[in-house]
Amino acid sequence: MSVKGPIGVFDSGYGGLTVLKEIREKLPEYDFLYLGDNARAPYGSRSFDVIYDYTWQAVQALFERGCSLVILACNTASAKALRNIQRLKLPELHPDKRVLGVIRPSTEELDKHTKTKHVGVLATEGTIRSNSYEIELAKFAPDLVVNQHACPMWVPLIENNQFDTPGGIYFIQNDLLQILSKDPKIDTILLACTHYPILIEQLHKLLPPNVEVLAQGKIVAESLAGYLERHPEMVEKCTQNGTVTYLTTESARIFNEKASALMNDEIVAEHLTLH
């Protein structure tokens, strides 16, 4: 008889909490185990090899804690590690477990919303350099014109609660102006970093009214719900008591303070060392 456990949700830091929130609203009956590798964040500027190693360490830690299904709620990890984990690690070491990312469901959703077929992707430097979104969109929506832009200041602004200061607003507005200046026909922008939805109210104020902003939380939640419907064998491996547990590689006190402030909810985590 297979061992049941929670659904694992991994992020390099705090951004994945925005995805977890939407998943829990969509699938409240399931148990979740969130792991943030905050001590080694940000991942955005690190090499493919380093991100692959870090992500695999995190996935293994979640497997060891009973997770048969893990969501990489991190665009950088999804871009630089997911494919190799799925192809090289799981078939040999964990054929009964699954790891899913955020890029494919996000690209599929973009094509449904744009009318002009000109879209923007805002992300970290690592995600942009990986070119993962252009590659995936070329498969599912080859007619889209894709404009990408890295926003290296956004994550530190969010994690240090400086995004609504005059300086923070300046950097955010400057990045928006840069991507819109590349292509005035852009009518849909994907926030391809799970931190960015925290800025959603600001972005609506700063962007033209004809530009739609897509956050990944709801997209990933809908995609996961559909996946579980198609794969009842995975449902059997997931416990359903409506609980959530948090792990962080950073000081639990620091994680609790920042995570609670960002999500406007009390979050209590335990420390975990990855190796």
mmCIF file of all heavy atoms in Angstrom, residues 202-248:
data_model
loop_
_atom_site.group_PDB
_atom_site.id
_atom_site.type_symbol
_atom_site.label_atom_id
_atom_site.label_comp_id
_atom_site.label_asym_id
_atom_site.label_seq_id
_atom_site.Cartn_x
_atom_site.Cartn_y
_atom_site.Cartn_z
ATOM 1 N N GLN A 202 -0.788 47.986 -7.797
ATOM 2 C CA GLN A 202 0.051 49.030 -8.377
ATOM 3 C C GLN A 202 0.101 48.915 -9.895
ATOM 4 O O GLN A 202 0.025 49.924 -10.608
ATOM 5 C CB GLN A 202 1.472 48.938 -7.821
ATOM 6 C CG GLN A 202 1.652 49.527 -6.442
ATOM 7 C CD GLN A 202 3.116 49.590 -6.076
ATOM 8 O OE1 GLN A 202 3.982 49.279 -6.884
ATOM 9 N NE2 GLN A 202 3.396 49.996 -4.861
ATOM 10 N N LEU A 203 0.246 47.700 -10.373
ATOM 11 C CA LEU A 203 0.378 47.498 -11.813
ATOM 12 C C LEU A 203 -0.880 47.944 -12.547
ATOM 13 O O LEU A 203 -0.795 48.545 -13.621
ATOM 14 C CB LEU A 203 0.676 46.026 -12.115
ATOM 15 C CG LEU A 203 1.984 45.484 -11.523
ATOM 16 C CD1 LEU A 203 2.157 44.010 -11.873
ATOM 17 C CD2 LEU A 203 3.180 46.282 -12.019
ATOM 18 N N HIS A 204 -2.032 47.659 -11.978
ATOM 19 C CA HIS A 204 -3.280 48.106 -12.601
ATOM 20 C C HIS A 204 -3.339 49.631 -12.680
ATOM 21 O O HIS A 204 -3.872 50.189 -13.654
ATOM 22 C CB HIS A 204 -4.480 47.582 -11.828
ATOM 23 C CG HIS A 204 -4.752 46.120 -12.053
ATOM 24 N ND1 HIS A 204 -4.822 45.561 -13.308
ATOM 25 C CD2 HIS A 204 -4.967 45.103 -11.181
ATOM 26 C CE1 HIS A 204 -5.075 44.268 -13.206
ATOM 27 N NE2 HIS A 204 -5.162 43.962 -11.930
ATOM 28 N N LYS A 205 -2.790 50.313 -11.693
ATOM 29 C CA LYS A 205 -2.789 51.777 -11.694
ATOM 30 C C LYS A 205 -1.780 52.343 -12.690
ATOM 31 O O LYS A 205 -2.020 53.400 -13.294
ATOM 32 C CB LYS A 205 -2.470 52.294 -10.290
ATOM 33 C CG LYS A 205 -3.534 51.996 -9.253
ATOM 34 C CD LYS A 205 -3.083 52.484 -7.886
ATOM 35 C CE LYS A 205 -4.127 52.119 -6.818
ATOM 36 N NZ LYS A 205 -3.666 52.548 -5.447
ATOM 37 N N LEU A 206 -0.663 51.651 -12.862
ATOM 38 C CA LEU A 206 0.427 52.182 -13.678
ATOM 39 C C LEU A 206 0.311 51.821 -15.157
ATOM 40 O O LEU A 206 0.857 52.510 -16.006
ATOM 41 C CB LEU A 206 1.778 51.682 -13.145
ATOM 42 C CG LEU A 206 2.157 52.154 -11.727
ATOM 43 C CD1 LEU A 206 3.408 51.430 -11.251
ATOM 44 C CD2 LEU A 206 2.380 53.661 -11.716
ATOM 45 N N LEU A 207 -0.405 50.747 -15.463
ATOM 46 C CA LEU A 207 -0.531 50.305 -16.849
ATOM 47 C C LEU A 207 -1.755 50.933 -17.527
ATOM 48 O O LEU A 207 -2.732 51.282 -16.859
ATOM 49 C CB LEU A 207 -0.665 48.786 -16.906
ATOM 50 C CG LEU A 207 0.608 47.978 -16.653
ATOM 51 C CD1 LEU A 207 0.266 46.516 -16.404
ATOM 52 C CD2 LEU A 207 1.569 48.094 -17.843
ATOM 53 N N PRO A 208 -1.728 51.054 -18.838
ATOM 54 C CA PRO A 208 -2.918 51.524 -19.558
ATOM 55 C C PRO A 208 -4.096 50.584 -19.311
ATOM 56 O O PRO A 208 -3.900 49.380 -19.121
ATOM 57 C CB PRO A 208 -2.474 51.483 -21.025
ATOM 58 C CG PRO A 208 -0.982 51.528 -20.988
ATOM 59 C CD PRO A 208 -0.577 50.817 -19.738
ATOM 60 N N PRO A 209 -5.323 51.090 -19.325
ATOM 61 C CA PRO A 209 -6.491 50.265 -19.008
ATOM 62 C C PRO A 209 -6.735 49.119 -19.989
ATOM 63 O O PRO A 209 -7.430 48.165 -19.658
ATOM 64 C CB PRO A 209 -7.649 51.270 -19.032
ATOM 65 C CG PRO A 209 -7.144 52.432 -19.812
ATOM 66 C CD PRO A 209 -5.684 52.499 -19.566
ATOM 67 N N ASN A 210 -6.169 49.227 -21.193
ATOM 68 C CA ASN A 210 -6.382 48.171 -22.192
ATOM 69 C C ASN A 210 -5.424 46.991 -22.019
ATOM 70 O O ASN A 210 -5.531 45.990 -22.732
ATOM 71 C CB ASN A 210 -6.217 48.731 -23.603
ATOM 72 C CG ASN A 210 -4.791 49.187 -23.873
ATOM 73 O OD1 ASN A 210 -4.266 50.058 -23.169
ATOM 74 N ND2 ASN A 210 -4.147 48.617 -24.879
ATOM 75 N N VAL A 211 -4.483 47.086 -21.076
ATOM 76 C CA VAL A 211 -3.502 46.022 -20.875
ATOM 77 C C VAL A 211 -3.944 45.135 -19.708
ATOM 78 O O VAL A 211 -4.080 45.605 -18.579
ATOM 79 C CB VAL A 211 -2.099 46.600 -20.603
ATOM 80 C CG1 VAL A 211 -1.100 45.462 -20.327
ATOM 81 C CG2 VAL A 211 -1.624 47.438 -21.781
ATOM 82 N N GLU A 212 -4.153 43.867 -19.986
ATOM 83 C CA GLU A 212 -4.553 42.908 -18.960
ATOM 84 C C GLU A 212 -3.314 42.297 -18.306
ATOM 85 O O GLU A 212 -2.329 42.001 -18.982
ATOM 86 C CB GLU A 212 -5.409 41.801 -19.563
ATOM 87 C CG GLU A 212 -5.946 40.820 -18.533
ATOM 88 C CD GLU A 212 -6.860 39.763 -19.137
ATOM 89 O OE1 GLU A 212 -6.993 39.734 -20.378
ATOM 90 O OE2 GLU A 212 -7.430 38.967 -18.368
ATOM 91 N N VAL A 213 -3.389 42.100 -17.007
ATOM 92 C CA VAL A 213 -2.275 41.512 -16.256
ATOM 93 C C VAL A 213 -2.694 40.136 -15.759
ATOM 94 O O VAL A 213 -3.734 39.984 -15.106
ATOM 95 C CB VAL A 213 -1.877 42.402 -15.063
ATOM 96 C CG1 VAL A 213 -0.691 41.784 -14.319
ATOM 97 C CG2 VAL A 213 -1.542 43.815 -15.525
ATOM 98 N N LEU A 214 -1.874 39.137 -16.048
ATOM 99 C CA LEU A 214 -2.161 37.770 -15.621
ATOM 100 C C LEU A 214 -1.193 37.357 -14.520
ATOM 101 O O LEU A 214 0.024 37.394 -14.710
ATOM 102 C CB LEU A 214 -2.030 36.794 -16.795
ATOM 103 C CG LEU A 214 -2.947 37.011 -17.998
ATOM 104 C CD1 LEU A 214 -2.693 35.924 -19.038
ATOM 105 C CD2 LEU A 214 -4.410 37.022 -17.580
ATOM 106 N N ALA A 215 -1.738 36.974 -13.372
ATOM 107 C CA ALA A 215 -0.945 36.425 -12.280
ATOM 108 C C ALA A 215 -1.025 34.905 -12.328
ATOM 109 O O ALA A 215 -2.039 34.332 -12.738
ATOM 110 C CB ALA A 215 -1.446 36.948 -10.940
ATOM 111 N N GLN A 216 0.045 34.239 -11.889
ATOM 112 C CA GLN A 216 0.124 32.796 -12.099
ATOM 113 C C GLN A 216 -0.635 31.959 -11.072
ATOM 114 O O GLN A 216 -0.910 30.787 -11.329
ATOM 115 C CB GLN A 216 1.591 32.367 -12.110
ATOM 116 C CG GLN A 216 2.326 32.858 -13.340
ATOM 117 C CD GLN A 216 3.767 32.422 -13.346
ATOM 118 O OE1 GLN A 216 4.505 32.726 -12.426
ATOM 119 N NE2 GLN A 216 4.170 31.708 -14.379
ATOM 120 N N GLY A 217 -0.961 32.530 -9.922
ATOM 121 C CA GLY A 217 -1.591 31.743 -8.872
ATOM 122 C C GLY A 217 -2.843 31.021 -9.326
ATOM 123 O O GLY A 217 -2.971 29.801 -9.186
ATOM 124 N N LYS A 218 -3.796 31.790 -9.870
ATOM 125 C CA LYS A 218 -5.058 31.183 -10.309
ATOM 126 C C LYS A 218 -4.832 30.227 -11.474
ATOM 127 O O LYS A 218 -5.496 29.183 -11.581
ATOM 128 C CB LYS A 218 -6.052 32.277 -10.711
ATOM 129 C CG LYS A 218 -6.581 33.090 -9.541
ATOM 130 C CD LYS A 218 -7.647 34.065 -10.001
ATOM 131 C CE LYS A 218 -8.137 34.940 -8.856
ATOM 132 N NZ LYS A 218 -8.783 34.147 -7.778
ATOM 133 N N ILE A 219 -3.899 30.565 -12.360
ATOM 134 C CA ILE A 219 -3.610 29.707 -13.502
ATOM 135 C C ILE A 219 -3.093 28.351 -13.035
ATOM 136 O O ILE A 219 -3.551 27.295 -13.495
ATOM 137 C CB ILE A 219 -2.564 30.378 -14.422
ATOM 138 C CG1 ILE A 219 -3.130 31.671 -15.035
ATOM 139 C CG2 ILE A 219 -2.114 29.418 -15.515
ATOM 140 C CD1 ILE A 219 -2.102 32.491 -15.785
ATOM 141 N N VAL A 220 -2.146 28.373 -12.107
ATOM 142 C CA VAL A 220 -1.562 27.126 -11.609
ATOM 143 C C VAL A 220 -2.589 26.332 -10.811
ATOM 144 O O VAL A 220 -2.646 25.096 -10.894
ATOM 145 C CB VAL A 220 -0.307 27.421 -10.764
ATOM 146 C CG1 VAL A 220 0.236 26.146 -10.131
ATOM 147 C CG2 VAL A 220 0.761 28.078 -11.625
ATOM 148 N N ALA A 221 -3.408 27.027 -10.039
ATOM 149 C CA ALA A 221 -4.437 26.339 -9.252
ATOM 150 C C ALA A 221 -5.419 25.604 -10.159
ATOM 151 O O ALA A 221 -5.767 24.438 -9.908
ATOM 152 C CB ALA A 221 -5.177 27.345 -8.366
ATOM 153 N N GLU A 222 -5.881 26.263 -11.218
ATOM 154 C CA GLU A 222 -6.793 25.620 -12.162
ATOM 155 C C GLU A 222 -6.110 24.445 -12.859
ATOM 156 O O GLU A 222 -6.722 23.388 -13.073
ATOM 157 C CB GLU A 222 -7.277 26.638 -13.197
ATOM 158 C CG GLU A 222 -8.187 27.722 -12.639
ATOM 159 C CD GLU A 222 -9.581 27.190 -12.306
ATOM 160 O OE1 GLU A 222 -9.924 26.075 -12.768
ATOM 161 O OE2 GLU A 222 -10.310 27.889 -11.583
ATOM 162 N N SER A 223 -4.853 24.637 -13.221
ATOM 163 C CA SER A 223 -4.115 23.579 -13.900
ATOM 164 C C SER A 223 -3.941 22.360 -12.990
ATOM 165 O O SER A 223 -4.095 21.215 -13.437
ATOM 166 C CB SER A 223 -2.750 24.104 -14.339
ATOM 167 O OG SER A 223 -1.979 23.089 -14.950
ATOM 168 N N LEU A 224 -3.629 22.597 -11.723
ATOM 169 C CA LEU A 224 -3.463 21.495 -10.775
ATOM 170 C C LEU A 224 -4.774 20.755 -10.562
ATOM 171 O O LEU A 224 -4.799 19.517 -10.514
ATOM 172 C CB LEU A 224 -2.924 22.015 -9.451
ATOM 173 C CG LEU A 224 -2.758 20.980 -8.331
ATOM 174 C CD1 LEU A 224 -1.849 19.839 -8.763
ATOM 175 C CD2 LEU A 224 -2.233 21.649 -7.063
ATOM 176 N N ALA A 225 -5.868 21.496 -10.445
ATOM 177 C CA ALA A 225 -7.178 20.856 -10.275
ATOM 178 C C ALA A 225 -7.483 19.958 -11.466
ATOM 179 O O ALA A 225 -7.966 18.831 -11.304
ATOM 180 C CB ALA A 225 -8.254 21.920 -10.100
ATOM 181 N N GLY A 226 -7.180 20.450 -12.661
ATOM 182 C CA GLY A 226 -7.407 19.646 -13.861
ATOM 183 C C GLY A 226 -6.510 18.418 -13.894
ATOM 184 O O GLY A 226 -6.943 17.323 -14.302
ATOM 185 N N TYR A 227 -5.275 18.590 -13.469
ATOM 186 C CA TYR A 227 -4.343 17.464 -13.433
ATOM 187 C C TYR A 227 -4.848 16.365 -12.503
ATOM 188 O O TYR A 227 -4.819 15.172 -12.849
ATOM 189 C CB TYR A 227 -2.960 17.940 -12.979
ATOM 190 C CG TYR A 227 -1.938 16.832 -12.846
ATOM 191 C CD1 TYR A 227 -1.200 16.408 -13.942
ATOM 192 C CD2 TYR A 227 -1.731 16.196 -11.621
ATOM 193 C CE1 TYR A 227 -0.268 15.379 -13.835
ATOM 194 C CE2 TYR A 227 -0.814 15.164 -11.498
ATOM 195 C CZ TYR A 227 -0.089 14.765 -12.611
ATOM 196 O OH TYR A 227 0.817 13.734 -12.498
ATOM 197 N N LEU A 228 -5.319 16.751 -11.321
ATOM 198 C CA LEU A 228 -5.809 15.763 -10.361
ATOM 199 C C LEU A 228 -7.063 15.056 -10.883
ATOM 200 O O LEU A 228 -7.260 13.862 -10.631
ATOM 201 C CB LEU A 228 -6.078 16.431 -9.021
ATOM 202 C CG LEU A 228 -4.823 16.929 -8.268
ATOM 203 C CD1 LEU A 228 -5.215 17.762 -7.066
ATOM 204 C CD2 LEU A 228 -3.945 15.757 -7.855
ATOM 205 N N GLU A 229 -7.888 15.777 -11.615
ATOM 206 C CA GLU A 229 -9.069 15.137 -12.213
ATOM 207 C C GLU A 229 -8.663 14.083 -13.241
ATOM 208 O O GLU A 229 -9.294 13.026 -13.347
ATOM 209 C CB GLU A 229 -9.955 16.194 -12.878
ATOM 210 C CG GLU A 229 -10.717 17.078 -11.902
ATOM 211 C CD GLU A 229 -11.594 18.074 -12.626
ATOM 212 O OE1 GLU A 229 -11.664 18.009 -13.877
ATOM 213 O OE2 GLU A 229 -12.212 18.922 -11.956
ATOM 214 N N ARG A 230 -7.603 14.364 -13.970
ATOM 215 C CA ARG A 230 -7.146 13.431 -15.007
ATOM 216 C C ARG A 230 -6.306 12.289 -14.447
ATOM 217 O O ARG A 230 -6.082 11.284 -15.125
ATOM 218 C CB ARG A 230 -6.322 14.182 -16.068
ATOM 219 C CG ARG A 230 -7.088 15.236 -16.832
ATOM 220 C CD ARG A 230 -6.285 15.738 -18.021
ATOM 221 N NE ARG A 230 -4.984 16.276 -17.628
ATOM 222 C CZ ARG A 230 -4.775 17.524 -17.246
ATOM 223 N NH1 ARG A 230 -5.793 18.393 -17.176
ATOM 224 N NH2 ARG A 230 -3.565 17.946 -16.933
ATOM 225 N N HIS A 231 -5.820 12.453 -13.219
ATOM 226 C CA HIS A 231 -4.912 11.460 -12.639
ATOM 227 C C HIS A 231 -5.390 11.044 -11.251
ATOM 228 O O HIS A 231 -4.802 11.414 -10.228
ATOM 229 C CB HIS A 231 -3.489 12.025 -12.564
ATOM 230 C CG HIS A 231 -2.891 12.325 -13.895
ATOM 231 N ND1 HIS A 231 -2.248 11.365 -14.667
ATOM 232 C CD2 HIS A 231 -2.843 13.476 -14.618
ATOM 233 C CE1 HIS A 231 -1.836 11.905 -15.789
ATOM 234 N NE2 HIS A 231 -2.184 13.192 -15.791
ATOM 235 N N PRO A 232 -6.453 10.240 -11.196
ATOM 236 C CA PRO A 232 -6.965 9.789 -9.892
ATOM 237 C C PRO A 232 -5.953 8.977 -9.105
ATOM 238 O O PRO A 232 -6.042 8.903 -7.875
ATOM 239 C CB PRO A 232 -8.188 8.950 -10.276
ATOM 240 C CG PRO A 232 -7.973 8.573 -11.711
ATOM 241 C CD PRO A 232 -7.237 9.713 -12.322
ATOM 242 N N GLU A 233 -4.967 8.395 -9.792
ATOM 243 C CA GLU A 233 -3.948 7.635 -9.083
ATOM 244 C C GLU A 233 -3.078 8.547 -8.206
ATOM 245 O O GLU A 233 -2.554 8.105 -7.163
ATOM 246 C CB GLU A 233 -3.060 6.854 -10.067
ATOM 247 C CG GLU A 233 -2.055 7.675 -10.856
ATOM 248 C CD GLU A 233 -2.640 8.409 -12.058
ATOM 249 O OE1 GLU A 233 -3.884 8.353 -12.248
ATOM 250 O OE2 GLU A 233 -1.872 9.035 -12.806
ATOM 251 N N MET A 234 -2.940 9.806 -8.605
ATOM 252 C CA MET A 234 -2.195 10.756 -7.775
ATOM 253 C C MET A 234 -3.057 11.249 -6.616
ATOM 254 O O MET A 234 -2.556 11.496 -5.517
ATOM 255 C CB MET A 234 -1.717 11.946 -8.619
ATOM 256 C CG MET A 234 -0.678 11.599 -9.665
ATOM 257 S SD MET A 234 0.758 10.709 -8.999
ATOM 258 C CE MET A 234 1.403 11.905 -7.819
ATOM 259 N N VAL A 235 -4.352 11.387 -6.853
ATOM 260 C CA VAL A 235 -5.266 11.780 -5.778
ATOM 261 C C VAL A 235 -5.176 10.779 -4.637
ATOM 262 O O VAL A 235 -5.183 11.151 -3.453
ATOM 263 C CB VAL A 235 -6.713 11.879 -6.297
ATOM 264 C CG1 VAL A 235 -7.682 12.148 -5.149
ATOM 265 C CG2 VAL A 235 -6.820 12.970 -7.357
ATOM 266 N N GLU A 236 -5.050 9.504 -4.977
ATOM 267 C CA GLU A 236 -4.973 8.456 -3.959
ATOM 268 C C GLU A 236 -3.730 8.584 -3.086
ATOM 269 O O GLU A 236 -3.687 8.067 -1.975
ATOM 270 C CB GLU A 236 -4.995 7.078 -4.630
ATOM 271 C CG GLU A 236 -6.327 6.709 -5.249
ATOM 272 C CD GLU A 236 -7.441 6.642 -4.218
ATOM 273 O OE1 GLU A 236 -7.205 6.070 -3.137
ATOM 274 O OE2 GLU A 236 -8.531 7.183 -4.487
ATOM 275 N N LYS A 237 -2.717 9.282 -3.593
ATOM 276 C CA LYS A 237 -1.463 9.422 -2.846
ATOM 277 C C LYS A 237 -1.407 10.709 -2.027
ATOM 278 O O LYS A 237 -0.411 10.967 -1.346
ATOM 279 C CB LYS A 237 -0.280 9.385 -3.822
ATOM 280 C CG LYS A 237 -0.158 8.083 -4.592
ATOM 281 C CD LYS A 237 0.996 8.128 -5.573
ATOM 282 C CE LYS A 237 1.091 6.834 -6.371
ATOM 283 N NZ LYS A 237 2.210 6.853 -7.337
ATOM 284 N N CYS A 238 -2.454 11.527 -2.111
ATOM 285 C CA CYS A 238 -2.467 12.827 -1.430
ATOM 286 C C CYS A 238 -3.458 12.820 -0.271
ATOM 287 O O CYS A 238 -4.628 12.465 -0.460
ATOM 288 C CB CYS A 238 -2.832 13.940 -2.416
ATOM 289 S SG CYS A 238 -1.701 14.081 -3.820
ATOM 290 N N THR A 239 -3.005 13.224 0.897
ATOM 291 C CA THR A 239 -3.887 13.297 2.056
ATOM 292 C C THR A 239 -4.790 14.514 1.951
ATOM 293 O O THR A 239 -4.442 15.528 1.333
ATOM 294 C CB THR A 239 -3.084 13.360 3.356
ATOM 295 O OG1 THR A 239 -2.096 14.408 3.254
ATOM 296 C CG2 THR A 239 -2.377 12.046 3.624
ATOM 297 N N GLN A 240 -5.954 14.413 2.557
ATOM 298 C CA GLN A 240 -6.962 15.474 2.437
ATOM 299 C C GLN A 240 -7.546 15.793 3.814
ATOM 300 O O GLN A 240 -8.629 15.338 4.166
ATOM 301 C CB GLN A 240 -8.063 15.053 1.460
ATOM 302 C CG GLN A 240 -7.560 14.786 0.057
ATOM 303 C CD GLN A 240 -8.670 14.526 -0.945
ATOM 304 O OE1 GLN A 240 -9.730 15.145 -0.887
ATOM 305 N NE2 GLN A 240 -8.433 13.629 -1.878
ATOM 306 N N ASN A 241 -6.810 16.613 4.558
ATOM 307 C CA ASN A 241 -7.269 17.075 5.867
ATOM 308 C C ASN A 241 -7.318 18.602 5.968
ATOM 309 O O ASN A 241 -7.562 19.150 7.036
ATOM 310 C CB ASN A 241 -6.352 16.537 6.966
ATOM 311 C CG ASN A 241 -6.317 15.010 6.986
ATOM 312 O OD1 ASN A 241 -7.330 14.367 7.195
ATOM 313 N ND2 ASN A 241 -5.138 14.440 6.741
ATOM 314 N N GLY A 242 -7.056 19.286 4.833
ATOM 315 C CA GLY A 242 -7.138 20.740 4.804
ATOM 316 C C GLY A 242 -6.062 21.449 5.588
ATOM 317 O O GLY A 242 -6.278 22.563 6.070
ATOM 318 N N THR A 243 -4.860 20.846 5.714
ATOM 319 C CA THR A 243 -3.788 21.448 6.498
ATOM 320 C C THR A 243 -2.695 22.024 5.607
ATOM 321 O O THR A 243 -2.583 21.673 4.429
ATOM 322 C CB THR A 243 -3.149 20.423 7.448
ATOM 323 O OG1 THR A 243 -2.448 19.440 6.668
ATOM 324 C CG2 THR A 243 -4.208 19.746 8.308
ATOM 325 N N VAL A 244 -1.871 22.889 6.169
ATOM 326 C CA VAL A 244 -0.689 23.407 5.474
ATOM 327 C C VAL A 244 0.444 23.542 6.476
ATOM 328 O O VAL A 244 0.242 23.983 7.610
ATOM 329 C CB VAL A 244 -0.974 24.758 4.779
ATOM 330 C CG1 VAL A 244 -1.428 25.811 5.779
ATOM 331 C CG2 VAL A 244 0.255 25.243 4.008
ATOM 332 N N THR A 245 1.632 23.112 6.062
ATOM 333 C CA THR A 245 2.840 23.197 6.884
ATOM 334 C C THR A 245 3.895 23.947 6.092
ATOM 335 O O THR A 245 3.989 23.802 4.865
ATOM 336 C CB THR A 245 3.352 21.786 7.232
ATOM 337 O OG1 THR A 245 2.308 21.057 7.885
ATOM 338 C CG2 THR A 245 4.562 21.854 8.155
ATOM 339 N N TYR A 246 4.695 24.747 6.787
ATOM 340 C CA TYR A 246 5.700 25.569 6.127
ATOM 341 C C TYR A 246 7.102 25.192 6.594
ATOM 342 O O TYR A 246 7.342 25.012 7.792
ATOM 343 C CB TYR A 246 5.471 27.061 6.425
ATOM 344 C CG TYR A 246 4.127 27.576 5.972
ATOM 345 C CD1 TYR A 246 3.035 27.570 6.836
ATOM 346 C CD2 TYR A 246 3.947 28.068 4.685
ATOM 347 C CE1 TYR A 246 1.800 28.046 6.426
ATOM 348 C CE2 TYR A 246 2.715 28.541 4.261
ATOM 349 C CZ TYR A 246 1.648 28.527 5.142
ATOM 350 O OH TYR A 246 0.428 28.995 4.738
ATOM 351 N N LEU A 247 8.037 25.108 5.639
ATOM 352 C CA LEU A 247 9.446 24.876 5.916
ATOM 353 C C LEU A 247 10.255 25.964 5.233
ATOM 354 O O LEU A 247 9.899 26.432 4.148
ATOM 355 C CB LEU A 247 9.892 23.516 5.379
ATOM 356 C CG LEU A 247 9.207 22.263 5.948
ATOM 357 C CD1 LEU A 247 9.640 21.037 5.159
ATOM 358 C CD2 LEU A 247 9.523 22.102 7.428
ATOM 359 N N THR A 248 11.356 26.365 5.852
ATOM 360 C CA THR A 248 12.242 27.357 5.252
ATOM 361 C C THR A 248 13.686 27.020 5.572
ATOM 362 O O THR A 248 13.984 26.488 6.650
ATOM 363 C CB THR A 248 11.926 28.777 5.757
ATOM 364 O OG1 THR A 248 12.874 29.705 5.185
ATOM 365 C CG2 THR A 248 12.003 28.865 7.270
#
